[in-house]
């Protein structure tokens, strides 16, 4: 970290502590491969030291499975002596945690080698490497996420989630009621605290809508002209939602498919591209005639099978797919069509953009963004045509062709020459090793359904 940058960041810390003399602690946060936030808690008096020298955390932080255990086949654990790397603050991410009883702040971090260069296995750096390819073309990426989640009861039923009782009516919701305002009113205090907490933390969340299942909601984030920052906001928003819900004696889940027969949780991303003059290169009265837009979509669709492991990184991710739940299962695109993988929303010609609709809320936002941008760059630079847009119901016109399980998705990623040009093959190896380890553990377990079916019948 250069001396001028360090001075600027120290000024940021000084200003924050002066503005918030009540703060006692600061949580230092870093998102792992699964998007799970890890880190350290320090006293406020140690904040300047963090800005000056960073903090040490083991490289194996990015080789953890979903249960927080190091996957040794990544080579980032015992093979390197479980050695430390150094983590530095990300400017502009120091903020208050509004849910804490003891005044506490938070600060996002990113990992570096001891010599200073970014650490290859930090998902934030994986994304940064893809973004640099757009910088070389003089292009700026604008991006925003839509994040879905369920409010759930803090008490499970035989280990399974259930909807929370409404603080207003005392009833558990049982019907879909998409966009119903009354359902927002049932949980108004919690939902409003989420929006107010986001504002306090500088997270650009502007709306919450009722989604397609009982106690399921979606938070919309504003577009920002920095895709890395857009991912930072998504990571922080998930943490905020979880903790605000705890304050209201409820729990949350971003699990891709928590309930059989109900909609899963998605993580849609909206992307537009600006040229050097700040003009949206996708802007058009007739989006189908915009070559840049078509090529970007063509690249995304061509690489979509190889993206799937990043978009849907868990065994449960693939249970979310189904026509009745508006989750596309083939590489398809259309104009204002919610049955396709890549939707082009209609509206102002200047606001034409790509909406990528495949990923689940269990995806790591940095890896999701990196894979989608890799597809866009591949399409733009190779002028890939996407074919005709789908009109009407895509599920009736296109057979399922995307990987429908984690093992096939990992094979597609591992075999993709295109993705290896954008994402360090060393990182792909680490990611695949972690996910194959989780998959092996899952397949070695015996489910209740297997006992019900086979214990006394075969």
């Amino acid at each position: 970290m250069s001396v001028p940058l360090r001075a600027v960041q120290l000024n940021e810390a000084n200003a924050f502590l002066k503005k918030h003399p009540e703060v006692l602690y600061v949580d230092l946060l870093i998102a792992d491969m699964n998007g799970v936030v890890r880190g350290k808690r320090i006293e406020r008096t140690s904040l300047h030291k963090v800005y000056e020298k960073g903090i040490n955390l083991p490289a194996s932080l990015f080789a953890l499975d979903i249960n927080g255990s190091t996957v040794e086949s990544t080579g980032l654990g015992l093979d390197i002596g479980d050695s430390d790397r150094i983590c530095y603050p990300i400017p502009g991410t120091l903020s208050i945690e509004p849910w804490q009883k003891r005044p506490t702040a938070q600060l996002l971090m990113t990992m570096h080698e001891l010599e200073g260069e970014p650490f290859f296995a930090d998902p934030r750096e994986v994304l940064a490497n893809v973004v640099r390819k757009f910088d070389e073309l003089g292009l700026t990426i604008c991006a925003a996420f839509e994040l879905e989640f369920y409010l759930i009861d803090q008490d499970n039923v035989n280990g399974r989630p259930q909807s929370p009782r409404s603080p207003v009516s005392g009833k558990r919701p049982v019907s879909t009621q998409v966009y119903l305002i009354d359902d927002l009113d049932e949980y108004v205090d919690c939902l409003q605290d989420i929006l107010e907490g986001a504002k306090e933390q500088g997270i650009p969340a502007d709306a919450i809508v009722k989604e397609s299942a009982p106690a399921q909601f979606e938070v919309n984030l504003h577009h920002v002209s920095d895709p890395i920052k857009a991912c930072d906001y998504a990571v922080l928003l998930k943490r905020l939602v979880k903790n605000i819900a705890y304050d209201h004696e409820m729990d949350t889940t971003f699990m891709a498919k928590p309930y059989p027969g109900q909609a899963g949780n998605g993580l849609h991303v909206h992307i537009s591209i600006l040229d050097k003059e700040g003009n949206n290169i996708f802007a058009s009265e007739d989006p189908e005639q915009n070559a840049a837009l078509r090529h970007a979509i063509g690249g995304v669709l061509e690489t979509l099978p190889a993206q799937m492991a990043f978009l849907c990184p868990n065994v449960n991710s693939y249970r979310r797919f189904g026509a009745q739940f508006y989750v596309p299962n083939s590489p398809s695109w259309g104009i204002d069509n919610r049955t396709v993988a890549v939707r082009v929303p209609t509206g102002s010609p200047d606001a034409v953009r790509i909406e990528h609709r495949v990923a689940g809320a269990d995806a790591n936002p940095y890896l999701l963004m990196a894979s989608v941008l890799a597809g866009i760059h591949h399409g733009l630079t190779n002028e890939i045509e996407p074919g005709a847009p789908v009109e009407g119901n895509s599920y009736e016109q296109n057979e399922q062709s995307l990987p429908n399980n984690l093992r096939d998705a990992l094979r597609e990623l591992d075999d993709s020459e295109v993705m290896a040009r954008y994402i360090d093959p060393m990182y792909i190896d680490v990611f695949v090793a972690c996910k194959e380890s989780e998959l092996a553990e899952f397949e070695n377990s015996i489910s209740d359904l297997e006992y019900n079916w086979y214990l006394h019948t075969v």
Side-chain angles (χ1 to χ4, degrees), residues 309-332:
F310 288 142
L311 308 178
C312 302
N314 301 304
V315 174
N316 176 260
S317 305
Y318 297 86
R319 302 189 189 281
R320 178 174 147 262
F321 288 79
Q324 71 272 36
F325 300 121
Y326 291 93
V327 184
N329 56 18
S330 65
S332 55

Side-chain angles (χ1 to χ4, degrees), residues 128-193:
N129 283 331
V130 180
V131 172
R132 291 184 191 105
K133 294 183 180 294
F134 287 85
D135 295 340
E136 293 167 1
L137 299 178
L139 299 176
T140 299
I141 302 154
C142 291
F145 285 101
E146 296 173 347
L147 178 64
E148 294 175 347
F149 65 95
Y150 278 91
L151 291 174
I152 60 175
D153 202 293
Q154 289 185 329
D155 293 324
N156 295 329
V157 179
N158 297 323
R160 296 175 182 269
Q162 62 177 337
S163 297
R165 293 190 183 278
S166 161
V168 174
S169 68
K171 300 177 181 178
R172 299 189 195 278
V174 294
S175 59
T176 298
Q177 301 295 358
V178 64
Y179 300 127
L180 186 68
I181 293 294
D182 288 350
D183 274 15
L184 296 179
D185 290 339
E186 294 283 353
Y187 301 98
V188 62
D189 289 340
C190 177
L191 299 176
Q192 198 59 40
D193 281 353

Side-chain angles (χ1 to χ4, degrees), residues 18 42 45 64 66 75 104 137 141 165 178 197 203 212 219 235 268 276 280 304 317 337 346 350 353 360 374 408 450:
K18 183 178 181 180
I42 61 169
T45 53
L64 301 179
I66 195 66
T104 304
L137 299 178
I141 302 154
R165 293 190 183 278
V178 64
I203 300 171
S212 302
V219 180
V235 167
H268 296 175
K276 293 178 181 178
N280 178 8
L304 190 51
S317 305
N337 187 335
T346 56
D350 293 335
R353 62 194 183 276
D408 286 346
E450 289 174 87

Side-chain angles (χ1 to χ4, degrees), residues 14-91:
N14 288 331
F16 182 86
L17 293 176
K18 183 178 181 180
K19 182 179 179 180
H20 298 282
E22 76 282 5
V23 165
L24 300 175
Y25 306 101
V26 181
D27 288 340
L28 308 178
L29 313 175
I30 191 162
D32 72 6
M33 175 183 291
N34 291 294
V36 175
V37 174
R38 305 185 187 275
K40 294 182 178 181
R41 177 169 293 172
I42 61 169
E43 294 186 344
R44 66 175 282 143
T45 53
S46 299
L47 184 60
H48 290 95
K49 182 179 178 182
V50 171
Y51 274 94
E52 290 174 345
K53 298 182 179 180
I55 61 165
N56 288 342
L57 286 171
S60 59
L61 185 145
F62 294 114
L64 301 179
D65 65 15
I66 195 66
N67 294 311
S69 299
T70 301
V71 177
E72 293 296 341
S73 57
T74 62
L76 295 180
L78 297 178
D79 285 354
I80 58 172
D82 203 23
S83 58
D84 280 343
R85 297 299 186 270
I86 190 164
C87 300
Y88 291 115
I90 296 169

Side-chain angles (χ1 to χ4, degrees), residues 380-428:
L380 290 173
T381 54
N382 292 281
E383 298 185 351
I384 297 172
E385 291 291 342
V390 174
E391 296 183 7
N393 190 341
S394 174
Y395 304 105
E396 296 179 348
Q397 302 175 48
N398 296 291
E399 292 185 3
Q400 184 274 324
S401 59
L402 293 174
N404 63 2
N405 63 83
L406 182 57
R407 186 174 297 285
D408 286 346
L410 291 172
R411 287 183 184 132
E412 289 277 1
L413 173 61
D414 212 15
D415 292 342
S416 174
E417 295 180 2
V418 174
M419 294 301 284
R421 292 201 293 269
Y422 290 92
I423 296 175
D424 188 340
M426 288 176 57
Y427 183 76
I428 292 176

